[in-house]
Amino acid sequence: GQNIDQPTEMTATEGAIVQINCTYQTSGFNGLFWYQQHAGEAPTFLSYNVLDGLEEKGRFSSFLSRSKGYSYLLLKELQMKDSASYLCAVRPGGYQKVTFGTGTKLQVIP
Amino acid sequence: GAVVSQHPSWVICKSGTSVKIECRSLDFQATTMFWYRQFPKQSLMLMATSNEGSKATYEQGVEKDKFLINHASLTLSTLTVTSAHPEDSSFYICSAAAEKLFFGSGTQLSVL
C-alpha cells in the first residue's frame, strides 16, 4: 500500500520562511509532486522531484531524499496569498495513479 | 503547460437524477485520466483510473455502477454520477497523466 504523511496545519508570519514536510512509504517510486490548492479550487502544480536534492523555483523550493522517504516544500518571503493547502503526492511508477497525502493547511498571518 | 478542461464547474441537481462531468485534454493526448473526489477539508481521494478504449479501474469502495466512466477518445473522459444522492455532494476533479499530472478546474456537485 501507499502511506503519505504531512502535518495537518501550520501557521507562519508574512515575510518569513516555512518548511512543510512529507514522509512516504510506497511500493515503488517514480516521482514526488507538490501541489497548492486554494479552497474551492483545483490543485495547481508547484514542483516535481524524481532525483535526490533540492529544486528551486522562485520563492518555492522542494527537496527529496529517496533513501529516507522524505521531502519538504520550502516557501520563502511568505505572502498572504500563500495561505492554502499544500498537497504532497507520490507516483509509484510510470503513469500509474498518484497518491495524495492529506494536505497541509498553511495560514499566513500578518 | 498542458491544459485540462473540465465542465461543468458546478451543478445542482435533485436526488435521483444523473449528472455527467466531462474532462478534456486540450493540447495533448491522454491515454490515462484519473477521477478524484474531495470532501470539505479533506484531501483528494482517487476514485478510478480511466484508460482510453478499455474499462476503468475503480478504487476499493467506489461503486462502478454508480460512477460510470467512459474514455472513448484520447482527449475525453466522462464521469456520470447515476441516481445521485445528497451524500454524493462533493468536489470532483479529473486529471490527465503525462510527465506531470494536470488537473481540470473541478466540478462542485450539490445534490438536493
Side-chain angles (χ1 to χ4, degrees), chain B residues 62-93:
Chain B
V62 178
E63 301 174 57
K64 62 180 181 180
D65 294 330
K66 180 171 183 62
F67 298 99
L68 301 179
I69 292 173
N70 184 282
H71 195 154
S73 76
L74 287 171
T75 59
L76 174 65
S77 176
T78 61
L79 168 68
T80 301
V81 183
T82 62
S83 187
H85 291 287
E87 57 265 31
D88 298 324
S89 298
S90 184
F91 192 50
Y92 293 85
I93 308 175

Side-chain angles (χ1 to χ4, degrees), chain A residues 41-61:
Chain A
E41 300 180 9
T44 56
F45 172 81
L46 291 179
S47 67
Y48 172 59
N49 294 68
V50 65
L51 300 176
D52 291 349
L54 185 68
E55 296 276 347
E56 297 185 80
K57 189 184 299 183
R59 294 191 298 115
F60 293 2
S61 302

Side-chain angles (χ1 to χ4, degrees), chain B residues 10 21 24 33 39-40 46 52 65 68 83 87 100:
Chain B
W10 57 272
I21 304 170
R24 294 179 184 273
M33 291 185 178
F39 292 106
L46 181 66
E52 186 269 335
D65 294 330
L68 301 179
S83 187
E87 57 265 31
K100 296 179 290 188

Side-chain angles (χ1 to χ4, degrees), chain A residues 6 33 35 37 40-45 48 57 87 91 94-103 105, chain B residues 31-32 34 36 38 41-44 46 49 59 91 93 97-106 108:
Chain A
Q6 39 180 142
F33 302 83
Y35 287 86
Q37 185 180 28
E41 300 180 9
T44 56
F45 172 81
Y48 172 59
K57 189 184 299 183
L87 308 176
R91 180 165 62 192
Y95 287 162
Q96 293 179 26
K97 57 190 179 185
V98 171
T99 300
F100 283 84
T102 53
K105 185 177 181 180
Chain B
T31 56
T32 302
F34 303 96
Y36 291 86
Q38 186 176 35
K41 299 183 180 181
Q42 296 186 22
S43 189
L44 301 169
L46 181 66
T49 301
E59 295 300 300
F91 192 50
I93 308 175
E99 182 185 24
K100 296 179 290 188
L101 203 59
F102 300 98
F103 285 91
S105 54
Q108 182 64 52

Side-chain angles (χ1 to χ4, degrees), chain A residues 34-87:
Chain A
W34 282 97
Y35 287 86
Q36 179 192 61
Q37 185 180 28
H38 287 97
E41 300 180 9
T44 56
F45 172 81
L46 291 179
S47 67
Y48 172 59
N49 294 68
V50 65
L51 300 176
D52 291 349
L54 185 68
E55 296 276 347
E56 297 185 80
K57 189 184 299 183
R59 294 191 298 115
F60 293 2
S61 302
S62 58
F63 171 83
L64 174 68
S65 169
R66 289 171 296 172
S67 62
K68 296 182 180 179
Y70 168 69
S71 172
Y72 67 73
L73 180 70
L74 193 71
L75 291 76
K76 304 177 184 176
E77 301 171 11
L78 280 173
Q79 302 175 9
M80 299 300 292
K81 67 178 182 179
D82 296 330
S83 293
S85 288
Y86 291 85
L87 308 176

